[in-house]
Amino acid sequence: MGCIKVGQCCHGLTVQLGMGNDVKVLTSLINMYSMMGDLETASLVFDRMPTRTLVSWNAIISGCVRNDLVPKSLEYFHELVCNGIGFDSATLVSLLHGCSRVADMASGKILHAYILRRCLESSNILSTALLDLYGKCGELTKANYLFSTMKDKNVITWTALLVGLAQNGKAEDALKLFHQMQEENVAANSVTLVGLVYCCAHLGSMKKGKSVHANLVRLGYALDIVNMTALIDMYAKCGKISLSERVFNIVSDSGDVVLFNAMITSYGIHGFGIQAINIYDRMVYQRVSPNQTTFVALLAACSHSGLVEEGIYLFEKMKTEHKMKPSEKHYACFVDLLSRAGRLEDAEECIKKMPSEPGTAVLEALLNGCRYHKNMDIGLRTADKLLHLDSTNPGIYVLLSNIYAQIKRWDVVDYIQSIMRAHRLKKIPGYSSIEIQNQVHTFFAGDDSHLNWEEIHRFLEALRSEIEASGYVPDTSSVLRDVDEKMKVKLLWGHSERSAIAFGLLSTAPGSVIRITKNLRVCNDCHMVTKLISQIVQREIIVRDANRFHHFRNGKCSCCDYW
């Protein structure tokens, strides 16, 4: 019930009634205090216990994990081992969950070694906890191996692997695992289905997402706040913001801040900054206290919508009215807001006034603004700081190459690319995906391996002729290669979203909406070409890139060329 005052009264009674040294009573008190977030008192009770049982140790260890004090829980475990006190599966399960929560792979491997030494690997509960750990730490090969060697798999085991795959960008593999799960008649639970919702969001798969939503309704999980939040996110990332609104309005009276944050974020990625601010105003009206995430979402929404003054106002309001100290994420969003608007000097000044040294996210936001507004001076200063912070991030080198390519300094571009090769850094390959008849088709830049490639290529060439007839002039500034203009144009027409759009137009009914998901930012030329295609074919084309959504209709984009 979370009644801390009543619990404290009960604690007083235990002392008054002479139970101050009773191990069972004191262990219950540790549980009570830790469950209500008062780990300081829980630790005090534990430290003053005259005698302790393994249950007492497990109570304080699980209490630390529950309150996100994983290093402290590991310290207690070290003390437990050094004192020669035995431990059991419950101890290890708590610790493994803690390591999963903070992605502490090193400590997790030590715990795995203890499991092997104690011959506990046959325990289904421990194996599932290990599977969850490896999955959440991105060690998918080990997670898959553990899964394949387990004899008695239950829904929790299947879900642990599925969620691990989903969180590591292996959405298609997670969906295949779910089909396998269904074939083996393992009934999904709420956590399984939420994992699938996030997979559908990652892929932009509307049909699969609706199918999972139907399963949530059928199994009675649909009105759960966590599930509703996932559905809001999924529909938004599938380009159907109206469905996100419908889901939000069903449960908006719950007063849950996570739910409001999901709706603000959804509006933000679609460039609907005013609507995002309206949700914040609704929060205030309903007396729902905003948190740090609320303002990250609001600042990002203002940045995508070009609402500079509104963003500055909210940033100040967060500090003064809500008494929140801006985090690295807030500064990154705020610098992005200023940089996109061309206020690069203000952004640089803001970074200088930060209470701590800026991280890569803040500096990358400024560098991206320098690339867009072709500011070499600030760009080079920022790039130098970034490379000192993280010399292994290929994105930094790519941004720097873009800046030099814009002023045609190909010697420097070549030098930067030689550094990348020396460090074995590779630019993330661009790809776009589209869902046709419940199947996701993925296209890579310059790839002609699709079964329908010849038909797609002919259709693209026909479109290209119409586009060029309308007066289109290629923008080759994003091509980071010192080749002639003809080759640059050819490389642009090999960009993945053009193939995906052409395939979508060939494979869907006239008048229907085309939905594309792209893993990188849409380049200027592809943005221009997609606007022209939407006008020529009279179809709405929705493109989700790495930053936001673009709704193309009648030769115009919802971003108003501000992205």
Side-chain angles (χ1 to χ4, degrees):
M1 292 173 67
C3 299
I4 186 73
K5 289 187 177 179
V6 178
Q8 288 168 338
C9 291
C10 291
H11 187 177
L13 279 171
T14 65
V15 176
Q16 188 181 338
L17 295 170
M19 299 175 187
N21 292 330
D22 189 296
V23 176
K24 289 183 180 178
V25 171
L26 293 175
T27 302
S28 294
L29 283 167
I30 292 166
N31 269 320
M32 180 195 77
Y33 282 117
S34 67
M35 287 180 76
M36 288 195 277
D38 187 358
L39 199 72
E40 188 179 347
T41 306
S43 298
L44 198 64
V45 172
F46 179 80
D47 293 339
R48 291 181 178 179
M49 287 178 77
T51 55
R52 299 168 185 147
T53 65
L54 180 55
V55 179
S56 311
W57 283 94
N58 286 347
I60 193 66
I61 287 170
S62 64
C64 289
V65 171
R66 189 182 294 115
N67 288 278
D68 295 323
L69 295 171
V70 178
K72 185 70 175 173
S73 72
L74 292 165
E75 283 176 24
Y76 276 122
F77 179 64
H78 184 256
E79 189 181 342
L80 187 66
V81 173
C82 288
N83 290 339
I85 303 165
F87 55 87
D88 60 8
S89 295
T91 321
L92 293 168
V93 166
S94 291
L95 291 164
L96 286 168
H97 284 321
C99 291
S100 295
R101 192 172 291 184
V102 296
D104 184 355
M105 192 71 256
S107 299
K109 284 181 177 178
I110 292 169
L111 294 170
H112 193 173
Y114 274 113
I115 291 168
L116 295 172
R117 257 188 273 169
R118 292 290 182 97
C119 300
L120 296 170
E121 62 267 31
S122 60
S123 165
N124 187 272
I125 296 171
L126 280 172
S127 294
T128 302
L130 279 169
L131 178 61
D132 181 60
L133 168 73
Y134 284 117
K136 286 180 179 171
C137 291
E139 299 269 5
L140 295 180
T141 304
K142 289 175 183 173
N144 276 305
Y145 174 75
L146 271 171
F147 183 79
S148 66
T149 56
M150 289 175 68
K151 292 179 181 178
D152 301 314
K153 301 182 184 80
N154 56 26
V155 63
I156 300 170
T157 314
W158 285 85
T159 301
L161 181 58
L162 189 147
V163 170
L165 291 167
Q167 289 179 342
N168 286 281
K170 302 287 184 182
E172 290 188 62
D173 291 338
L175 289 169
K176 285 175 187 175
L177 185 72
F178 178 63
H179 290 310
Q180 188 184 338
M181 187 176 167
Q182 288 179 310
E183 285 171 5
E184 297 194 21
N185 295 317
V186 180
N189 62 18
S190 177
V191 181
T192 319
L193 294 171
V194 169
L196 287 170
V197 170
Y198 282 115
C199 288
C200 298
H202 177 79
L203 292 169
S205 177
M206 175 73 81
K207 287 185 179 178
K208 287 186 174 72
K210 282 185 173 181
S211 175
V212 178
H213 189 173
N215 273 309
L216 283 166
V217 173
R218 184 170 55 83
L219 296 171
Y221 300 135
L223 292 177
D224 180 85
I225 295 297
V226 173
N227 300 342
M228 285 297 216
T229 304
L231 287 168
I232 289 168
D233 176 73
M234 184 270 292
Y235 282 123
K237 286 180 178 172
C238 288
K240 202 71 175 174
I241 193 73
S242 58
L243 291 180
S244 293
E245 291 170 334
R246 282 173 63 181
V247 173
F248 174 75
N249 288 329
I250 291 169
V251 283
S252 59
D253 291 336
S254 66
D256 188 272
V257 66
V258 179
L259 201 71
F260 279 90
N261 290 348
M263 198 63 234
I264 291 170
T265 303
S266 297
Y267 277 132
I269 61 173
H270 282 268
F272 301 151
I274 297 297
Q275 290 90 327
I277 295 170
N278 289 341
I279 293 291
Y280 165 72
D281 291 337
R282 187 168 166 182
M283 281 179 78
V284 174
Y285 179 75
Q286 291 183 212
R287 296 185 178 179
V288 179
S289 298
N291 59 18
Q292 298 264 340
T293 306
T294 310
F295 285 97
V296 169
L298 281 167
L299 290 169
C302 290
S303 181
H304 287 310
S305 309
L307 302 175
V308 181
E309 295 306 319
E310 291 86 344
I312 293 170
Y313 170 74
L314 286 166
F315 188 67
E316 292 304 318
K317 192 172 186 178
M318 176 185 74
K319 293 186 289 184
T320 55
E321 189 174 316
H322 296 283
K323 309 298 180 187
M324 289 184 195
K325 187 179 178 181
S327 68
E328 178 83 9
K329 286 184 178 179
H330 294 114
Y331 277 110
C333 290
F334 190 61
V335 168
D336 186 58
L337 172 81
L338 297 171
S339 300
R340 282 174 190 266
R343 294 172 61 167
L344 300 170
E345 290 80 7
D346 292 341
E348 194 175 30
E349 192 61 32
C350 171
I351 292 171
K352 287 177 184 175
K353 290 179 181 177
M354 282 177 66
S356 58
E357 286 299 311
T360 55
V362 174
L363 295 171
E364 277 190 59
L366 179 57
L367 185 59
N368 200 42
C370 293
R371 177 198 60 79
Y372 186 78
H373 293 285
K374 301 178 182 178
N375 189 313
M376 288 293 295
D377 293 337
I378 297 176
L380 292 177
R381 282 200 300 272
T382 308
D384 185 57
K385 291 176 186 175
L386 263 170
L387 291 172
H388 275 91
L389 276 177
D390 185 4
S391 61
T392 61
N393 184 347
I396 299 167
Y397 293 96
V398 172
L399 275 173
L400 196 53
S401 294
N402 266 299
I403 291 172
Y404 278 107
Q406 285 176 332
I407 58 168
K408 301 189 186 304
R409 285 292 307 274
W410 300 114
D411 55 330
V412 184
V413 172
D414 290 340
Y415 175 66
I416 292 167
Q417 290 179 350
S418 71
I419 295 173
M420 289 181 71
R421 285 192 294 273
H423 287 86
R424 295 183 179 178
L425 301 175
K426 291 183 179 179
K427 181 184 175 182
I428 298 168
Y431 68 83
S432 301
S433 58
I434 181 170
E435 185 182 27
I436 303 292
Q437 294 179 352
N438 216 27
Q439 183 181 350
V440 177
H441 296 259
T442 303
F443 297 85
F444 287 86
D447 181 27
D448 59 358
S449 60
H450 195 276
L451 290 172
N452 302 81
W453 173 247
E454 288 186 13
E455 187 183 4
I456 292 167
H457 181 67
R458 284 196 300 272
F459 188 75
L460 265 178
E461 285 300 307
L463 270 178
R464 182 176 170 178
S465 298
E466 289 192 63
I467 289 167
E468 287 174 348
S470 68
Y472 154 75
V473 177
D475 178 356
T476 58
S477 61
S478 62
V479 180
L480 303 183
R481 285 168 64 176
D482 186 14
V483 291
D484 61 41
E485 284 298 303
K486 189 175 180 181
M487 177 54 72
K488 286 182 180 181
V489 173
K490 184 180 178 181
L491 290 168
L492 284 172
W493 280 91
H495 281 190
S496 61
E497 58 266 55
R498 304 191 193 197
S499 300
I501 291 168
F503 181 63
L505 292 169
L506 285 167
S507 308
T508 55
S512 59
V513 178
I514 304 292
R515 289 185 172 85
I516 308 292
T517 300
K518 182 176 170 66
N519 69 322
L520 301 177
R521 181 185 181 274
V522 171
C523 76
N524 292 343
D525 194 68
C526 284
H527 193 267
M528 190 192 325
V529 164
T530 309
K531 285 196 294 184
L532 293 168
I533 291 173
S534 72
Q535 187 172 36
I536 290 165
V537 300
Q538 284 298 293
R539 301 270 289 271
E540 181 181 359
I541 302 169
I542 299 174
V543 178
R544 173 182 131 198
D545 72 5
N547 295 330
R548 56 163 299 154
F549 271 85
H550 301 265
H551 297 252
F552 297 93
R553 295 189 196 96
N554 300 317
K556 295 180 181 178
C557 180
S558 59
C559 75
C560 300
D561 298 340
Y562 187 89
W563 85 103

